[in-house]
Amino acid sequence: MSGIKLISTGSALPAQEVTNFDLEKKVDTSDEWIVTRTGIKSRHYCGEGESHLGLCLAAARQALERAGIEPGQIGVCLVATLTQDTMTPSAACVLQKELGLAEDTVCFDLNAACAGFVYGLHTAECLLAASERKYGLVIGGEVLSRITDFTDRSTCVLFGDGAGAAIVRWGEDYPSLSAVMGSRGNSGVLYIPGVNTGDPSYIHMDGKEVFRFAVEVLPRCAKEVAAKAGISLDEVDRFAFHQANQRILDHAIKKLKLDPAKCTGNIAHTGNTSAASVPILLDQLVSSGQLRSGQKVLCAGFGGGLTWAGALLQLA
Ligand code: ACO
């Protein structure tokens, strides 16, 4: 058996918190509609002077400091995102310089939408096995407010900005992530036009179809991860599911018969932060003592692509 353990976490949210009441002033919506349909009460948006890089950097620095390791010990740096500041250089590439990572660190961005961070964990596990340096930095960071169409009330109330980071370490005697991943090419249900289409790069979504997809794939993915790890879902200490919509989460919790106390989320005050959602939640679980040394957390994400991914991560 070989794999990675979670060593430390960090996260960063923009200073500006935007409540549903703030949105009511510029969008034809209501706090009551948003809370009932999604569980979201507020989200954070980047303001002047804040950026994708700034959020990723803050989260990464916090995680590095808590791990008590030097940047030069990192062998792999991955950023899961679809809203990096520049197409090139990638966010991971810029972090190489800003964090002082060694030049031979494997640095790249990865786009698997809201499943991106868990894709990143699995990718880091594979790459670290072949790396001389056994620490990896995996970040999920998004500035979704910049690709939100504020004339579309069915999407604009859902999203927020933020970043989360994890330092992981590969060990020969560490448990495997037992990662499960999938993708189902679908360009119609949830998409953002690319630079070559000439269309503004806004999030387009068929909410009902995404809902159907999510309630199908999230419980299945969680079950498959546990089966691959050879444990029952009862033996999992915590669940860190992508925070897209409280109703999707409630559905999965009920279908899997999970203890809701093990499924604490943060959607009420972050909204959906896509690839950043799972690592921000992980950081909040670790910082608040809800995820402790030796415990196992089942992470799962799902989103545009359509993509999904799940993994069982143990806190060192
Ligand atoms: N405020 C007020 N009314 C609204 C709003 C809003 N923000 N948005 C839509 N409505 C109205 C619609 O116009 C419609 O009115 P009508 O009946 O007069 O035509 C009514 O509310 C119902 O609209 P629906 O789209 O049917 O609302 P639904 O109950 O499906 O909820 C939602 C929409 C919340 C998006 C839901 O479909 C959903 O949760 N889908 C999952 C998608 C999701 O979570 N995506 C997250 C991003 S993707 C990802 O992370 C995977």
Side-chain angles (χ1 to χ4, degrees), residues 247-269:
R247 281 162 57 218
I248 293 172
L249 297 170
D250 291 343
H251 191 281
I253 292 166
K254 197 170 161 201
K255 194 163 176 187
L256 294 169
K257 300 189 177 67
L258 303 179
D259 175 359
K262 289 183 174 182
C263 306
T264 328
N266 61 9
I267 190 162
H269 297 290

Side-chain angles (χ1 to χ4, degrees), residues 29 33 37 114 153-154 190 205 207-208 242 245 272 302-303:
T29 189
W33 192 97
R37 296 294 220 285
C114 311
R153 67 176 179 173
S154 65
L190 178 56
M205 184 184 72
K208 283 197 194 323
H242 170 46
N245 183 315
N272 179 348
F302 52 89

Side-chain angles (χ1 to χ4, degrees), residues 257-298:
K257 300 189 177 67
L258 303 179
D259 175 359
K262 289 183 174 182
C263 306
T264 328
N266 61 9
I267 190 162
H269 297 290
T270 58
N272 179 348
T273 57
S274 191
S277 128
V278 172
I280 292 173
L281 178 56
L282 270 183
D283 182 48
Q284 291 175 350
L285 292 177
V286 175
S287 303
S288 62
Q290 293 181 77
L291 180 62
R292 295 183 296 277
S293 178
Q295 289 192 319
K296 294 187 268 302
V297 55
L298 197 156

Side-chain angles (χ1 to χ4, degrees), residues 27-30 33-34 37-38 114 152-159 190 203 205-214 242-245 247-248 272 274 302-304 306:
V27 179
D28 180 16
T29 189
S30 67
W33 192 97
I34 303 171
R37 296 294 220 285
T38 70
C114 311
D152 176 8
R153 67 176 179 173
S154 65
T155 57
C156 73
V157 299
L158 304 173
F159 301 103
L190 178 56
I203 303 168
M205 184 184 72
D206 178 339
K208 283 197 194 323
E209 280 304 316
V210 175
F211 199 97
R212 265 186 219 114
F213 160 70
H242 170 46
Q243 305 287 296
N245 183 315
R247 281 162 57 218
I248 293 172
N272 179 348
S274 191
F302 52 89
L306 301 163

Side-chain angles (χ1 to χ4, degrees), residues 91-276:
C93 223
V94 181
L95 287 177
Q96 179 276 326
K97 181 174 171 217
E98 296 293 332
L99 292 171
L101 307 180
E103 278 200 357
D104 63 349
T105 307
V106 178
C107 295
F108 62 91
D109 292 356
L110 174 166
N111 175 354
C114 311
F117 177 77
V118 185
Y119 263 77
L121 287 177
H122 176 63
T123 308
E125 183 177 60
C126 298
L127 289 171
L128 287 171
S131 169
E132 277 177 20
R133 299 192 298 275
K134 294 303 181 191
Y135 286 98
L137 170 60
V138 185
I139 298 169
E142 302 285 11
V143 182
L144 296 171
S145 61
R146 305 236 165 99
I147 56 164
T148 297
D149 178 359
F150 285 95
T151 65
D152 176 8
R153 67 176 179 173
S154 65
T155 57
C156 73
V157 299
L158 304 173
F159 301 103
D161 304 340
I167 300 286
V168 296
R169 190 186 192 288
W170 188 90
E172 240 171 284
D173 54 350
Y174 284 0
S176 151
L177 286 175
S178 302
V180 166
M181 255 151 294
S183 47
R184 185 184 296 165
N186 181 312
S187 315
V189 171
L190 178 56
Y191 66 96
I192 303 162
V195 285
N196 294 330
T197 62
D199 294 328
S201 284
Y202 287 139
I203 303 168
H204 298 260
M205 184 184 72
D206 178 339
K208 283 197 194 323
E209 280 304 316
V210 175
F211 199 97
R212 265 186 219 114
F213 160 70
V215 296
E216 171 219 323
V217 90
L218 179 57
R220 178 158 55 82
C221 181
K223 273 193 211 161
E224 285 176 9
V225 172
K228 203 168 170 183
I231 62 170
S232 76
L233 285 169
D234 288 342
E235 293 172 81
V236 176
D237 300 295
R238 282 279 154 190
F239 296 86
F241 292 147
H242 170 46
Q243 305 287 296
N245 183 315
Q246 190 58 46
R247 281 162 57 218
I248 293 172
L249 297 170
D250 291 343
H251 191 281
I253 292 166
K254 197 170 161 201
K255 194 163 176 187
L256 294 169
K257 300 189 177 67
L258 303 179
D259 175 359
K262 289 183 174 182
C263 306
T264 328
N266 61 9
I267 190 162
H269 297 290
T270 58
N272 179 348
T273 57
S274 191

